[in-house]
Amino acid sequence: MSDQTDQRNAPPATSSERTVARLVNATKRFGTGDAAVTALNDATIEFRKGEFTAVMGPSGSGKSTLMYCQSGLDRLTSGHAYIGDVDVSTLSDQELSVMRRSTLGFIFQSFHLVPALTSRENITLPVDLNANAEVDEAFLNELAVVLGIEHRLENLPSQLSGGQRQRVAVARAMIPRPDVIFADEPTGALDSKTSGELLAYLRTAVDDLGQTIVMVTHDAVAASHCDRVVYVQDGVLVDEGRNPTVDDVLGKIRELS
Amino acid sequence: MIRRTLKLAWFKRNRYALTVVAIALSVAFIVSTLLLTTSIADVGEPLRSAYDDVDVVVTGPEVAGGDGPVQAISAPVPAAVVADLTAAGRIAVGLADPYAQVLTSDGQAGGQDQAAANVAEPWLGDSPLNGFAIVEGAAPEVVGEAVMDVSTADAASLAVGSTIRFVTDSGVQEARLVGLATFGGSDNDPYTSTLLLAPEHPIFTTAEGFQRVLVADATVADVAAMVSGMEVESGADWIQAEQDALNDFLGFFSTFLTVFAVVAVVVGMVIVTNTFTVSLSQRTQELALLRLVGTTRRQLLSQVVLEAVLLGTIGTAIGLVLGLAGVSVLGWFLDVLGLVIERSNTISATALVVGVIVGLGVTVVASVRPAWKSTEVAPIEALRSSEADLTDGGTRRRMLTVGVLAIGLATLAWGIAQSDILFTGVAIGAIFLALYLGADSLVRIAARLTRPLLGRAGPTGTIASRNLEKNAGRTAAAASALMIGIALIGFFTLMAATIGQFIAGDAGEALEADLVVQGIGSQPEPALNDDVLEQVGSVDGVEIVVPLYQTSVSPVGDVEFERAGPGGGGGLGVALTDVDALAQAYAFVLNAGSLDDIAGSSVAIDQATADGFGRSIGDTLAVTSLAGPAELEVVAIIETSLPGSPQPAIIGDLSLRTTLGYDDPATAAYIVGSVLPGDVNEAIDLPTVEVVSRTDYIDGLSSNLDTILALVYALLAVAVLVALIGIANTVSLAISERVGEIAATRAAGASSRQIFWSLLAEFGLLAIVGIVSGLVFAWIAAASLFNALSGGQIGTPEVDVLTALLIVAAGLSGALIASWFPARSAATTDILDVLRAD
């Protein structure tokens, strides 16, 4: 990966230009009174354009909540979550939906493909949901070839293996050329070989297409593919590092837990 | 195990709530209809108790009529018969049943109710033949005194001591009400309003013979030896015959109710089966896990069936309570509609027991099959795939469907060609079964056909269409349930329309009279005596008065012909009138001959009668009437006759009245002239007669049908409601298993509105399949059944597009409302709830 080092190490221009998503004094509490749990505690973080970030932390650390709040799937108790310059807390359900189909991409641990739709239809779903948008067929074919699912486009999800399903999900997240892709344990349900291939692909998307990816994971190997790793504990950002190796990550995790 | 079952059921209480409601409604429906049926008073009871001393009844030979609304006409028993029997030492009394309708205290037509017969009977005093007993006041001693039955007095708000007025064939008369009487311990003679007058009253002395002669202290054999040419039967046989005649009418009604009860149960069963099938499919993993840890199939089966018993018990208990309330609602509805059904207040234990058996039985039976199938899944298989398909599906079912459909269509073709009721019935049953079995295929076809259209609404439309196709095996049952309800509604609508056609004929176009004068009530008495006709004729503006005298005769000869339509069974209806005047009031379509030739025994007949008896111009038709046999010559054939139930087959001149022995007043009159109904009404002093405009008259021709149809609709509404609950249930279940997919679509950017509409589209389409197949089935069933029942006389029923659209719209709205809330809650579910569950 040394050939990519230069690009990855290039310092951000200005924070405002290169920031695609950020949380400012983000606090998220579940429940009330004695039963209240603080999942995010006054967290502030920026995600920069063209950067592959891993969000790590032990179970219950708040890493998933961070992602959900950042992406507008969940609402903060206080503080702000911005996508670009837009404060997602000010958006209606309709506006959030439009944002999800055009500005954001999602990849989930359990794929969440629509069983009734073919791979192709699943991939183009975000674009098709927009009445005025046209699918970029060339881009779709390119994605399919790179992901190795070009012969699986007419199959239903039930006819695909787990790795293939996840690659369809990646293509679906990529197709609207979103500003940022949020991936929630994308390799969690895959074996090591398949997850290696998937991570390699995500890496390529960042390097070649300038895609921004925020990935929640507890897998040190997965995190080692990233430009930046952020450690969350008890709802607070405790540390971060750049160009992590597996050993770096494992060491840090041991330190935290 | 019971505790675990209870716990699991409680856990799934929301899912089962609608099932319980469906069971409860089915049970309520069957219990209330059964309670109503069993509460219909046994009319034989008062008759038996009133006439326990009547040994023999003598009636005249039947000369015409018999079935349906056409009253059987029997020749009168000559007065000499009574004299002879009395002379021979028997106790005998002749009853003529002369028309006498009591007016209420404010001068309106009173009597028990519209449908009841209004008669006067002589007070028989201490005679063992007197069926009445005075319960208040005294007996009528002189001509100016009257007694009436308790029910009639109540209905007309008349008290003992007051002066009453009553209408007879000779006009309005007065009397003083001196007492009230009961009949055989009941408040009235069944379905009759009786005015008891002194035997010396002229209403009795002018009668030329009797409807029946009651005899005591005699045997059938010795009375038969004394009278000739009369029908002689024992008192018990006569009561039985009376009871049977009334039960025929009530039996039709009870059958009606029973059919609906069965329908409600079938619909309920379909829904319960559906619920269990779907919920067990979803629980395959749970069940497999139990199998994995060592639960036997039998244990698993008992657990599921126990769950069913639990639901059945709750649903049945609620249903029984609702049913007890429902019978009052049904009774109230009957009263509002003016359908006179005498009822008792007894609650039949049988009805309750049947309700319990049905409620529990249906639930358990409906659960056993899906339960057994669900336990068939190997534990490891179930753990691999998230759910198993427990529906029948597959090639075997499709082949069965096609086979049954082929048999149905072939039988139907044969049934139509032969106008055979048995074949037609079997065919209709087979087609229904095929529709039920093939409902999933229909749903799949509908999904595929509408995909291009739905696809234009974007991917959510495509998802709706695909899901509909994929889940057809499970959801089709909901469509079937709706199909049953809609099919029945469609069938009865077509039936009512066809029967209406038979009564009204082409009166809508052909009636040119401006007004019509007729007796009030659903079975108007011949009430337009000569005074009335004179009063009508003297009103300013009245140009022509055309009186109609309607009677019936029996055909004699080798040709057996039964007229199609209500009352078409027995005799031939006859309308006697001033034919020249009628030409000004009614424009017949003449097929052959000339109306000008009608005179004396020369008559016009309608085309159906001409075809049925194979008669053409110049032929004769032999009939028997009250006056004996007569030969009628056909001089004109008209396309459609005057309106009536049945339409009169024969139109003759006034002079034919004597030939046929008809000496009652006119039954109706057409008026030509520019005059208002109110003005004519004012000139008539009989409150039992009304004057209506042409349009009101035509509308009124089908008003009885509308009444019955309203009741039918009300009953069917319950079946449709149960079906809609099934839809709601199916929607909730389908949605609950699809939360993951919905969350994925939402995460990809679909708005909750898009999800909501796609769910509505999916289940709306499902409902449309049920509604449309129900309507098509209704049309096939109606067309073929009417054809078979009428021996080919009735063509295909006319479809009123507006009504069909209304049914579709109502069914669809119902289904959409039923889907609305589950779809709404699914569309607005927090995506994160699903994602976090990973």
Side-chain angles (χ1 to χ4, degrees), chain A residues 30 65 68 73-74 93-94 97-98 100-101 106 108-110 112-118 121 125-126 128-129 156 172, chain B residues 458-460 462-463 466-467 470 740-741 743-754 830-832 834-836 838:
Chain A
F30 295 104
T65 304
Y68 293 150
L73 287 177
D74 207 351
D93 178 78
Q94 180 71 25
S97 299
V98 172
R100 282 199 298 275
R101 70 171 84 126
F106 287 95
F108 300 104
Q109 176 173 5
S110 47
H112 283 308
L113 298 180
V114 179
L117 299 180
T118 62
E121 289 164 338
L125 182 58
D128 292 338
L129 283 168
L156 290 172
R172 181 176 68 186
Chain B
T460 46
T462 310
I463 294 172
R466 293 266 171 80
N467 277 328
K470 196 179 101 193
E741 169 190 315
T745 320
R746 292 271 285 134
S751 62
S752 46
R753 199 178 305 154
Q754 282 172 312
D830 195 343
I831 311 170
L832 280 177
V834 181
L835 299 181
R836 284 208 186 95
D838 275 356

Side-chain angles (χ1 to χ4, degrees), chain A residues 166-188:
Chain A
Q166 195 59 303
R167 278 178 280 159
V168 170
V170 170
R172 181 176 68 186
M174 297 284 295
I175 196 80
R177 300 178 192 274
D179 292 351
V180 56
I181 290 175
F182 292 100
D184 188 6
E185 303 274 12
T187 58

